[in-house]
Each structure stands twice: as structure tokens, then as C-alpha cells.
Amino acid sequence: MTRAQAAKSSDEYRKGATTLRGSKVPQTTTDQQLLDRGQDADWVHTDPWRVMRIQAEFVEGFDTLAQLGPAVSVFGSARLKPDSEHYAKAVQLARLLVEAGYAVITGGGPGTMEAANRGAREAGGTSVGLGIELPFEAGLNEYVDIGVNFRYFFVRKTMFVKYAEGYVVLPGGFGTLDELFEAVTLAQTRKVTSFPIVLLGGAFWSPMMDWVRDSLLTAGMVNESDVERLTVVDDPAEAVALIVAGDRRIAGGDW
Ligand SMILES: CC(C)=CCNc1ncnc2c1ncn2[C@@H]1O[C@H](COP(=O)(O)O)[C@@H](O)[C@H]1O
């Protein structure tokens, strides 16, 4: 098998810096193993080692990203194809973010992530991909210039927030909603201040915002100020303007 064929084969698995093939490909991910309670008491004894590995992953992320400069994290569906209107908007958004002086951070995968990395690369900016170990991993998309691969979702999510001046969220599924609501919760609980969160794509996001108002707000489960943390726009230029306006360096916030 040539190297190119091997890279395409589903019979290949990357684990940190290690590549595993054939019978060496594991059936579970590191995250899965951590979250699995398991029947075997021996499993418990491996946790101290896992803590070391988690620590190392934080160090790796901090080391790589500390000198990144101002950046914006862009989220959205991993499943969008290049002919999608949202893909095109993500490319345009990333270009405009670069022109406004930001590096672009994504999850490093396909779909919207690829689109944003592509826009950043094409505009001559810094294109960052924070990948995650998945059982069906596709690897970092080809437009990532600085890539870090994480084993643990929670370590990776820390990086998205810590090194970004704001979030732009395009239409997506559970992964996207998870990232969006984590950011809103951090802002709501003041773990992070002055952190603009922009939802790009009115037709997709407005029904969700209606539900947030009609159900959550009406039931007193969120405050008006919480709802106001989320702004829905259709134009990538408007999204960038909101990010600049809410930039914590400019607004003087800290977290
Ligand atoms: C086609 C496919 C499922 C590929 C999976 N490959 C992925 N690679 C990197 N990040 C991902 C991947 N899938 C989901 N995510 C994370 O979850 C979000 C997208 O999830 P979803 O497609 O909306 O729910 C992204 O912003 C990303 O941070």
C-alpha cells in the first residue's frame, strides 16, 4: 500500500503523534474510555496516568496558541459541502476576520470548519485547527496551517474560549449547539466577560431564538440580558463588526 492509500484507508487511526493501522486500530476513543465506568476495578488505577496526559494536553495547547494574537473561533456543521450557502458564508467570514486582524480558529474538521480555514488561508491570515480524536476521524482539513490534535473534548474546548476574542456560530448540529451553549453559559456565569457571540444565518437561528424567548425567557429560566448575549445576523461583515465592537481587549474585560 502506498502512503497516500494508507492515509485514505479507514484502517488507520491517529492517536496524538502515533499512527495505528490494521489490528492495532483501537475500537474506542480516549474520551470514551475516560467516561466509561467499566466493570473492572483496575480501570480506576489508570486515572492518575490519565490526569498526567490531560495535563500534557493543556500544556501542548497553551504552548502552541499562547502567541497566536487576537483570534476568533468559528463553529458550524461538520457535514456541509462546498456547494452550501453556509460554506460560502464561512469562507467569506474568515476572509473578513483576517482583514480585521484576527486569526481564525476552528475544530479543524470538514464542512464549516474547512470553509473557515480556507477563507483564512486564502486571505493570507493565520488558519488554526483544533482537531479532536474521533473513531471516524477524517484528520485536519487541508486548509489548517497551525493544527493541534486533542484527545479530550474538554481540553480542546478550553482552547477555543481562551484564545478567542469572540465566537461566530454558523448553522450546525449537536456539536455546534454544544459549543454555542457552553460559550453562553460561560458568559452568563461570568467565567468569561465581554465575549461576543454572533449567530450567522437568520433563517436557521431565528426559530431557536424565538424558542429561547417564548419558552426559556417566559418560564424565567434565563434573563433578558442572557438572551441579549446572542446576536443573529445574515451578513458576515456584520458579524465581524459585532466581534470588533465586543472585543474584550478593546472593551477592557477580563476572565
Ligand atoms: C463528518 C463528520 C461528522 C466529521 C467529524 N469531524 C469533526 N472534526 C472536528 N470537529 C468536529 C467534528 N465533528 C464535530 N466537530 C465539532 O463540533 C462542531 C460541529 O458539530 P456538528 O456537525 O454541528 O454536530 C464543530 O464546530 C467542531 O468543533
Side-chain angles (χ1 to χ4, degrees), residues 75-79 107-110 113 132 134 136 156 160 172-176 179:
F75 302 99
S77 170
R79 299 164 195 232
M113 296 169 269
I132 182 75
L134 296 171
F136 44 87
R156 173 182 184 251
F160 283 133
F174 290 152
T176 302
E179 285 151 350

Side-chain angles (χ1 to χ4, degrees), residues 74-81 106-113 130-134 136-140 153 156-157 160 169-179:
V74 178
F75 302 99
S77 170
R79 299 164 195 232
L80 285 185
K81 301 291 172 227
T106 77
T112 313
M113 296 169 269
L130 306 181
I132 182 75
E133 174 197 304
L134 296 171
F136 44 87
E137 187 182 10
L140 292 172
F153 254 127
R156 173 182 184 251
K157 285 164 80 179
F160 283 133
V169 190
L170 284 101
F174 290 152
T176 302
L177 294 175
D178 173 51
E179 285 151 350

Side-chain angles (χ1 to χ4, degrees), residues 184-232:
V184 189
T185 307
L186 288 172
Q188 184 189 46
T189 54
R190 296 174 192 249
K191 289 288 180 183
V192 54
T193 56
S194 208
F195 191 76
I197 305 167
V198 184
L199 304 179
L200 181 55
F204 184 87
W205 292 117
S206 293
M208 184 193 78
M209 290 309 294
D210 290 343
W211 174 75
V212 166
R213 284 183 186 285
D214 296 345
S215 294
L216 303 191
L217 190 58
T218 304
M221 291 172 179
V222 294
N223 295 330
E224 182 65 42
S225 59
D226 299 325
V227 180
E228 284 166 4
R229 292 178 197 284
L230 298 171
T231 315
V232 180

